[in-house]
């Protein structure tokens, strides 16, 4: 029979007699048990005291120590490769982290999160519907040309060109015209007063690139060749899928960059990123995986800093046609969420629970009175399961099924989804989790089909300007991130009024109204304030700690550590 | 068909073939307790496997949680017990499908011979050429998450092992005098195959299927580890290792190590039991 295995001979060696080996066996068993217990203890966290995951303390740093001098090059870890570096579609972390060093805007967002002149040395507002930008003279592009008003008109024009599908188009909705009014002067005429427009001129919305350079690159602009911008670094070698290099631009108009070269390495796997930082393969990085905070802190390889992030972690409600259409169900979910637990486990302890969609720092320019008004009267962050369950019952939603998207993109996403599911199951809702692949997660923002059969998903939102309206405007009827189609006439009116108000405190007073309405209506459920995290190893220092790195040429400040 | 039985030759070293091998007994005990745990899981699990306590995430073993809790604060012991259900149900489906279909195809090919044999043999060889895991990943990407898609895909991938074994066994049986005797008496082919040949080859096929069970368990756990297959909330050993990756980063990998250990021990146990069964069948006086 062909199937029968060949005859086999026992290979067992004769052992010691059973009776004699008892003491030795007992010792071995004891050692085995003891070592198992030791291994178990070494592998596990501290016993459940309710204090949660380790590393639960953090303090914000205003900045990092000044470098002692120049450095040849340094390597930076980023979590994803940008599909393109065209400034008109730069709306996510990886693009802007790189682009901010290559392309500059009319205004500049400083590490202290204030506005200062950028490529425009002066911005004036002769009447509420006019902004005049006087440009710096002698600013050179990476392609050798000199910046003129024509380049500014062309660059801003690209943002409103429907063929470009620019991510920043909605910030130009009140712009009537952008005209050259002098060799180095550009005048922006607005359809109605817009307090946000001048602020956005410090983001990628206000980037100026060489008209000739962009036109020459054509469709390849952003993906191959240079970016024809003015920043302290110019685009070097881009090895797709691996790394991207920036080389110091010697013709830079401002302070010369301290590093000759910056190498960005694309490390999508969180543990690979952490290991690269620990081994020195990467010298630093923003957006550190929260589960690695403790390892990086304790490693001695460098320093982990936290800075003002103007970021809140929220649950984005994407469907209000189902049970979530009833505000009581949204309120119930908010009441049942374990925010404290989420901050401890999901954000590695570095975060603050909140019931406000906007961060406290976003209200920086407000008077004490306005700031108090913004945060007074918000619902408490403590859980109240009984009340939440009663609300669900009142809404007749008990037993209804909801779906929340989750992804292994990071603990802030996966554990928030788990927390929402746990909250729902405790108040009588049936919540399913739907896994989305990490690279498909961005599609939730751009593709309505990807949001089908999903009722909510975890969303971290960062302000691009130091103004709470940046977030609050998202609940205006028809806004880009208003996926659920939330619509409230009074809310829209308030947004319009705030937008039209230039005086900061008066505007922020109107925004307190918006803040209150958003807290009552919960178009998104706020969970926590999340600071930026920055790791720098012992070789380098100087990078800003705040979210300003998205639009500020931070890499130019990085030099050799003392 | 020694190629089938020694598919992963490394495991051969674990075989102990003497009459009363303690390894075999231990493994048999382990298989029995895992099956029992899976059956009784809802009654013996100390906690709801999906009860989240984020405040106590990654807490170590205590009286309340003997194996500690995972990164979401869920009880590891309860998840392991409930996880045994999905972790065993999946391979059971793979083995049931591959055994039933494999035996049917193998028997038909061997009994009829000729063009049918050529067709079925070439078709199964074609499946052989395609890696089972890749096939499963492909099927999952088309049909989405859930246990059914990977089970069917792996069932297809395991089918050739059973059908080739069956074919060779039936070929040998067909040549035996008792089969000729039945034919002379006018018994139909189906009757002879079902009533006489099948019972004779069953022990060998079942021994092979027991070994396949271990491999299928490992493959399905691997798919779950990749985040494919079972949905996020389902307790499953492979999924637990996947969820435990962040725990490893935290420096407290217990919630990832334990399911790994359970997968390894169960696979080894099924292999040892299956191979010993195969050995006993092979030594049987035929």
């Amino acid at each position: 029979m062909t199937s029968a295995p060949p005859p086999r001979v026992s290979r067992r060696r004769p052992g010691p007699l059973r009776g004699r080996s008892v003491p030795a066996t007992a010792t071995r068993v004891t050692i085995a048990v003891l070592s198992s217990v030791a291994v178990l203890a070494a592998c596990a966290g501290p016993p459940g005291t309710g204090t949660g995951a380790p590393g639960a303390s953090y303090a914000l740093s205003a900045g990092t120590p000044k470098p002692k001098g120049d450095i040849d090059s340094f390597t930076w870890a980023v979590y994803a490769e940008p599909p393109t570096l065209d400034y008109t579609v730069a709306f996510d972390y990886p693009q802007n982290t790189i682009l901010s060093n290559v392309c500059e805007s009319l205004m500049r967002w400083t590490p202290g999160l204030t506005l200062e002149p950028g490529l425009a040395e002066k911005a004036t507002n002769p009447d509420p519907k006019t902004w005049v930008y006087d440009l710096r003279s002698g600013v050179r592009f990476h392609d050798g040309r000199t910046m003129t008003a024509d380049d500014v008109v062309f660059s801003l024009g690209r943002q409103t060109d429907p063929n470009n599908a620019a991510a920043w188009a909605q910030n130009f909705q009140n712009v009537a015209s952008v005209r050259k009014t002098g060799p180095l002067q550009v005048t922006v005429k607005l359809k109605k007063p817009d307090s946000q427009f001048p602020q956005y001129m410090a983001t990628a919305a206000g980037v100026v690139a060489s008209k000739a350079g962009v036109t020459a690159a054509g469709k390849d602009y952003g993906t191959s060749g240079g970016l024809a911008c003015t920043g302290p670094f110019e685009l070097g070698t881009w090895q797709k899928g691996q790394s991207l290099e920036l080389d110091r631009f010697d013709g830079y108009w401002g302070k010369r960059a301290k590093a000759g070269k910056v190498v960005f390495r694309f490390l999508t796997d969180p543990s690979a990123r952490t290991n690269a930082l620990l081994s020195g393969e990467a010298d630093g990085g923003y957006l550190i995986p929260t589960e690695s905070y403790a390892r990086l802190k304790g490693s001695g390889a460098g320093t982990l800093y936290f800075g003002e992030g103007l970021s809140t972690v929220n649950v984005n409600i994407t469907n209000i046609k189902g049970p979530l259409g009833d505000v009581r169900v949204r309120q119930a979910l908010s009441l049942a969420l374990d925010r404290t637990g989420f901050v401890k486990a999901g954000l590695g302890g570095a975060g603050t629970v909140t019931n406000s969609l906007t961060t406290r720092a976003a209200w920086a320019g407000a008077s004490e009175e306005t700031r108090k008004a913004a945060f007074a009267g918000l619902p408490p962050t403590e859980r109240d399961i009984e009340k939440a369950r009663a609300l669900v019952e009142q809404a007749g939603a008990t037993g209804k099924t909801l779906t929340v998207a989750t992804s292994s993109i990071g603990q802030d996403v996966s554990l928030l989804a788990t927390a929402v599911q746990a909250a729902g199951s405790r108040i009588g809702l049936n919540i399913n989790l739907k896994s989305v692949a990490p690279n498909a997660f961005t599609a939730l923002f751009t593709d309505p089909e990807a949001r089908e059969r999903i009722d909510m998903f975890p969303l971290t939102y960062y302000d691009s300007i130091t103004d709470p309206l940046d977030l609050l405007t998202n609940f205006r009827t028809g806004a880009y991130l208003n996926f659920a189609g939330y619509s409230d006439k009074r809310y829209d009116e308030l947004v319009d009024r705030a937008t039209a108000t230039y005086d900061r405190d008066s505007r922020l007073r109107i925004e307190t109204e918006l803040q209150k309405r958003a807290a009552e209506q919960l178009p998104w459920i706020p969970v926590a304030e999340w600071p930026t995290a920055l790791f720098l190893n012992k070789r380098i220092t100087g990078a800003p700690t705040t979210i300003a790195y998205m639009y500020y040429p931070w890499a130019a400040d990085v030099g050799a550590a003392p | 068909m020694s190629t089938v039985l020694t598919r992963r030759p490394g495991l051969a070293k674990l075989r102990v073939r003497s009459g009363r091998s303690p390894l075999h007994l231990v493994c048999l005990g382990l298989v029995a307790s895992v099956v029992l745990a899976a059956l009784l899981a809802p009654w013996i699990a100390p906690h709801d496997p999906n009860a989240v306590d984020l405040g106590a995430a990654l807490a170590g073993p205590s009286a309340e949680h003997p194996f500690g809790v995972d990164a979401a604060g869920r009880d590891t012991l309860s998840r392991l017990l409930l996880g045994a259900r999905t972790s065993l149900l999946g391979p059971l489906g793979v083995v049931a499908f591959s055994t039933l279909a494999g035996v049917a195809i193998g028997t038909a090919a061997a009994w009829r011979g000729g063009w049918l044999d050529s067709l079925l043999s070439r078709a199964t060889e074609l499946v052989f050429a395609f890696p089972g895991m890749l096939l499963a990943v492909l099927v999952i990407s088309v049909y989405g998450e859930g246990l059914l898609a990977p089970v069917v895909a792996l069932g297809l991938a395991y089918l050739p092992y059973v059908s080739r074994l069956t074919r060779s066994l039936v070929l040998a049986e067909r040549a035996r005098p008792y089969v000729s005797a039945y034919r002379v008496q006018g018994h139909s082919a189906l009757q002879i195959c079902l009533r006489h040949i099948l019972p004779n080859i069953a022990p060998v096929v079942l021994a092979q299927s027991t070994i396949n069970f271990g491999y299928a368990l490992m493959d399905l756990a691997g798919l779950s580890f990749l985040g494919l297959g079972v949905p996020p909330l389902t307790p499953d050993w492979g999924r637990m290792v996947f969820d435990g990756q962040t725990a490893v980063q935290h420096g407290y990998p217990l919630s990832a190590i334990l399911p790994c250990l359970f997968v390894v021990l169960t696979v080894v146990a099924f292999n040892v039991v299956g191979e010993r069964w195969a050995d006993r069948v092979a030594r049987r006086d035929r």
Side-chain angles (χ1 to χ4, degrees):
Chain A
M1 196 175 110
T2 52
S3 67
R8 288 152 181 167
V9 190
S10 170
R11 275 179 234 138
R12 205 170 74 145
R13 280 174 294 159
L17 287 174
R18 265 160 205 264
R20 274 168 49 199
S21 65
V22 169
T25 309
T27 316
R28 259 183 261 154
V29 167
T30 315
I31 291 171
V33 168
L34 284 178
S35 48
S36 312
V37 170
V39 168
L40 211 69
C43 292
T49 53
T51 50
S57 68
Y58 79 104
L60 296 188
S61 315
T64 54
K66 286 211 171 349
K68 77 162 198 280
D70 288 4
I71 193 166
D72 287 344
S73 79
F74 69 90
T75 307
W76 204 256
V78 280
Y79 77 88
E81 177 172 20
T84 167
L85 283 174
D86 184 344
Y87 61 90
T88 60
V89 285
F91 73 100
D92 207 353
Y93 290 100
Q95 290 96 306
N96 284 317
T97 309
I98 298 169
L99 191 72
S100 57
N101 299 294
V102 186
C103 290
E104 289 178 299
S105 308
L106 289 173
M107 303 300 283
R108 177 178 279 183
W109 209 24
T110 66
L113 302 176
T114 55
L115 273 194
E116 67 174 29
L119 291 176
E121 57 185 2
K122 205 169 78 186
T124 45
N125 186 208
D127 67 79
K129 293 207 285 188
T130 309
W131 280 89
V132 179
Y133 292 95
D134 289 303
L135 308 175
R136 281 178 202 280
S137 61
V139 172
R140 278 177 54 202
F141 288 114
H142 299 151
D143 62 4
R145 295 184 176 90
T146 305
M147 181 179 75
T148 66
D150 290 319
D151 296 305
V152 179
V153 173
F154 171 78
S155 300
L156 297 188
R158 286 188 75 230
Q159 302 275 17
T160 48
D161 183 350
N163 293 330
N164 281 339
W168 298 94
Q170 75 170 11
N171 302 111
F172 287 81
Q173 59 186 352
N174 292 331
V175 173
S177 67
V178 182
R179 286 211 186 90
K180 174 182 172 180
T181 43
L184 284 174
Q185 192 186 64
V186 172
T187 301
V188 179
K189 286 277 181 196
L190 300 170
K191 292 175 199 156
K192 51 187 177 181
D194 188 341
S195 62
Q196 306 298 289
F197 177 78
Q199 298 190 69
Y200 282 108
M201 286 303 101
T203 67
V207 159
V208 180
S210 154
K211 183 181 177 181
V214 176
T215 315
K219 278 196 170 156
D220 291 334
Y221 181 72
T223 49
S224 62
L227 293 177
C229 284
T230 61
F233 290 94
E234 56 184 321
L235 200 59
T237 323
W238 186 348
Q239 281 186 297
K240 299 276 170 166
Q242 285 182 23
S243 64
L244 181 148
E245 288 179 9
L246 300 184
D247 300 316
R248 180 164 51 208
F249 174 47
D250 291 322
Y252 183 53
W253 62 272
K255 222 165 93 188
R256 179 176 172 270
K258 289 189 166 60
K261 182 187 281 232
V262 190
V263 182
F264 289 92
R265 292 210 48 201
F266 312 128
L267 298 161
T268 45
D269 181 58
S271 42
R273 212 154 68 244
T274 305
N275 290 336
L277 292 171
L278 286 170
S279 66
E281 199 185 322
D283 294 305
Y286 287 109
L287 283 166
I288 306 298
T290 57
E291 61 270 30
S292 305
Y293 286 172
R295 263 180 88 196
L296 288 168
K297 256 189 203 168
S299 69
T303 314
L304 181 67
Y305 299 93
F306 294 104
E308 183 49 60
L310 293 184
S311 309
T312 46
V313 181
N314 309 285
V315 180
N316 186 325
I317 310 282
T318 57
N319 176 17
I320 52 171
K321 296 205 175 84
L324 287 171
D326 192 319
V327 67
R328 288 170 295 189
V329 180
R330 304 200 290 269
Q331 284 167 345
L333 262 181
S334 175
L335 270 174
L337 258 182
D338 180 8
R339 290 180 171 80
T340 315
F342 168 73
V343 167
K344 280 174 182 162
L347 303 185
T352 322
V353 296
T354 186
N355 237 335
S356 158
L357 286 163
T358 56
T359 59
R360 283 177 186 271
W363 298 82
S367 66
E368 191 58 34
E369 190 194 342
T370 311
R371 217 173 324 164
K372 265 191 189 154
F375 287 87
L378 290 181
T381 53
E382 281 80 35
R383 281 202 286 178
D384 190 340
I385 301 289
E386 288 311 311
K387 196 173 164 194
R389 200 179 288 138
L391 280 170
V392 172
E393 266 170 36
Q394 281 169 27
T398 309
K400 293 270 168 66
T401 301
L402 294 168
T403 304
V404 53
T406 184
S407 177
S408 56
I409 204 163
Q411 279 205 123
D412 55 312
V413 171
S414 61
L415 282 185
L416 182 52
T418 309
V420 170
Q421 187 275 328
S425 66
R426 291 191 67 175
I427 58 174
L429 294 171
N430 178 23
I431 296 192
N432 293 329
L433 297 190
K434 185 174 189 290
S435 285
V436 178
N439 52 5
F441 202 74
T442 316
L444 290 175
F445 298 91
T446 52
D447 183 6
E449 265 181 43
R451 294 192 295 270
E452 264 177 30
R453 289 187 293 281
I454 282 175
D455 297 293
M456 47 197 152
F457 70 89
L459 165 74
T460 298
Y461 187 91
Y462 60 87
D463 288 335
S464 292
I465 55 175
T466 315
D467 192 323
L469 197 57
D470 181 74
L471 182 141
L472 293 168
T473 195
N474 288 313
F475 313 125
R476 194 182 187 284
T477 308
Y480 181 66
L481 286 181
N482 186 357
F483 301 135
Y486 174 79
S487 180
D488 175 356
K489 254 194 186 153
R490 172 76 184 137
Y491 193 92
D492 294 353
E493 277 169 27
L494 284 167
V495 170
D496 289 343
R497 258 181 60 205
T499 307
T501 309
Y502 281 114
D503 176 64
R504 193 163 177 81
D505 198 55
S506 313
R507 180 170 75 245
L508 287 166
R509 266 205 304 279
I510 304 169
E511 289 174 24
T512 59
E513 286 294 310
L514 288 170
Q515 160 101 333
K516 274 205 189 97
R517 274 190 109 75
E520 282 163 17
Q521 291 297 314
L522 292 172
W524 296 354
I525 301 173
V527 181
E529 278 195 32
W530 192 15
T532 58
L534 160 72
F535 182 81
L536 296 175
N537 72 7
K538 289 180 172 165
R539 273 187 73 223
I540 56 167
T541 185
T545 54
T546 63
I547 189 75
Y549 74 85
M550 300 291 279
Y551 310 113
Y552 170 82
W554 58 270
D557 291 355
V558 176
Chain B
M1 280 303 294
S2 56
T3 46
V4 176
L5 290 167
T6 55
R7 188 173 149 233
R8 293 180 197 190
L11 285 165
K13 288 176 192 145
L14 289 165
R15 277 197 303 260
V16 180
R17 268 167 251 102
S18 71
R20 281 208 177 86
S21 125
L23 179 64
H24 173 240
L25 287 180
V26 167
C27 288
L28 205 63
L30 202 68
V31 167
S33 37
V34 168
V35 170
L36 215 62
L39 289 174
L40 301 177
W43 296 279
I44 55 174
H47 297 273
D48 174 357
N50 283 325
V52 171
D53 181 5
L54 289 171
L58 294 174
S62 62
E64 202 186 345
H65 304 288
F67 285 176
V69 299
D70 68 4
R74 296 172 295 199
D75 182 51
T76 303
L77 175 62
S78 305
R79 287 186 78 72
L80 281 173
L81 287 170
L82 264 301
R85 296 198 135 192
T86 0
S87 305
L88 297 189
L89 200 67
L92 190 70
V94 172
V95 165
F97 178 83
S98 60
T99 307
L100 287 177
V103 166
I105 290 174
T107 311
W111 188 266
R112 286 294 298 270
W115 65 269
L116 187 69
D117 185 17
S118 302
L119 182 78
L120 292 175
S121 299
R122 294 304 87 78
T124 49
E125 273 158 19
L126 210 68
V127 181
F128 246 141
F130 203 83
M133 281 290 261
L134 270 189
L135 187 69
V137 171
L138 194 76
V139 170
I140 293 165
S141 61
V142 174
Y143 290 100
E145 58 189 22
L147 199 57
L148 190 67
V151 164
V152 171
L154 282 182
L156 274 175
Y158 277 76
L159 190 149
Y161 294 103
V162 184
S163 73
R164 282 182 70 166
L165 175 69
T166 309
R167 181 179 166 275
S168 60
L169 290 171
V170 173
L171 274 179
E173 290 293 311
R174 205 180 63 163
R176 289 182 173 237
Y178 76 88
V179 175
S180 311
Y182 282 123
R183 290 176 100 165
V184 169
Q185 285 172 28
H187 289 269
S188 74
L190 191 71
Q191 239 180 349
I192 300 173
C193 283
L194 285 179
R195 294 182 61 179
H196 305 288
I197 292 185
L198 220 55
N200 279 340
I201 64 164
V204 181
V205 173
L206 288 179
Q208 173 65 40
S209 292
T210 314
I211 297 167
N212 283 353
F213 189 94
Y215 295 143
L217 198 160
M218 206 145 62
D219 287 347
L220 282 169
L223 283 172
S224 298
F225 174 72
L226 294 174
L228 303 164
V230 292
L233 284 177
T234 322
D236 173 86
W237 294 345
R239 179 88 207 180
M240 285 174 77
V241 184
F242 172 72
D243 290 339
Q245 287 177 95
T246 52
V248 176
Q249 283 297 307
H250 270 299
Y252 301 111
L254 186 67
S255 60
I257 287 175
L258 286 172
C260 281
L261 203 69
F262 272 68
V263 170
V264 171
L265 287 179
T266 312
V267 171
V268 169
F270 269 98
N271 272 292
V272 170
V273 170
E275 294 216 2
R276 193 179 142 86
W277 190 356
D279 286 352
R280 254 177 47 193
V281 172
R283 277 209 304 274
R284 204 174 54 168
D285 191 23
R286 287 174 149 271

